[in-house]
Amino acid sequence: MNGLPLKMDLHVHTCYSYDATTTLREVVAYAKKRGLDGVAITDHDTVQGALKLIHKNSPLILPGVEVTTQRGHVLALNVTTPIPPRLSPFETIQRIHEVGGIAVAAHPTAVFKGGLRRQMRQQIVSSFDALEVINSTAFPFFLSTHLGRKLAVRLNLPQTAGSDAHHASGIGLAYTLIEADLDVDEIVRAIKRGAAVPVGKPIPWKIRLQNAVSSLKRRGCKRAYSKSSI
Ligand SMILES: [Zn+2]
Ligand SMILES: [Zn+2]
């Protein structure tokens, strides 16, 4: 690796998620604006948005998906095929590995986000490649982050951070510093060996409220795309 670590937001939703508004064009614009080297696109149970963005090189797009399992959410990174939802966490992790991805426990310690922590048995936990210890939308943020870090240290698992932005303004609120060159395979290997430092802050209440209102007006990707060349 040459120079500074990469700054990557490893948890970003687009309008391909049923509950997000960010267009693909906004993903690119806000990633640049926030000084990110790349973002992981992790829509709920679909890779459509990630696949559309993957051919654009700036910022680097790490394709992924946030898989709904029987017991909470699992981030699949470096995945370009959908992973079936509502499997057990263990089976989900296996499927992710089969297609060459890495499995990250999403917001495992957030109280109101259906994290995996309470139900996680040792066998499941040890199969994860990393834990998302900072998630900007997790609530309560500081407690979730503290517990997430503690859990990752206890389990000796690498730590990641992501904004979990469902609206463009949230992109980059949290990011992971990764010691790797700008290459998807290298980035994934670096995360797996723990060459990653999570950084981030909570989504401000003002934006949280604005997002709640704009969610009601959500139009999805089709309308959002009619004016976009991406
Ligand atoms: Zn989630
Ligand atoms: Zn999410």
Side-chain angles (χ1 to χ4, degrees), residues 50-66:
L51 293 180
K52 289 214 169 174
L53 266 177
I54 205 169
H55 300 298
K56 299 194 72 68
N57 240 350
S58 173
L60 182 126
I61 301 297
L62 180 56
V65 58
E66 183 168 19

Side-chain angles (χ1 to χ4, degrees), residues 11 13 42 44 66 73 75 107 113 135 164 166:
H11 191 158
H13 291 268
T42 54
H44 294 293
E66 183 168 19
H73 292 165
L75 294 174
H107 44 73
K113 286 181 75 76
N135 175 305
D164 202 359
H166 284 65

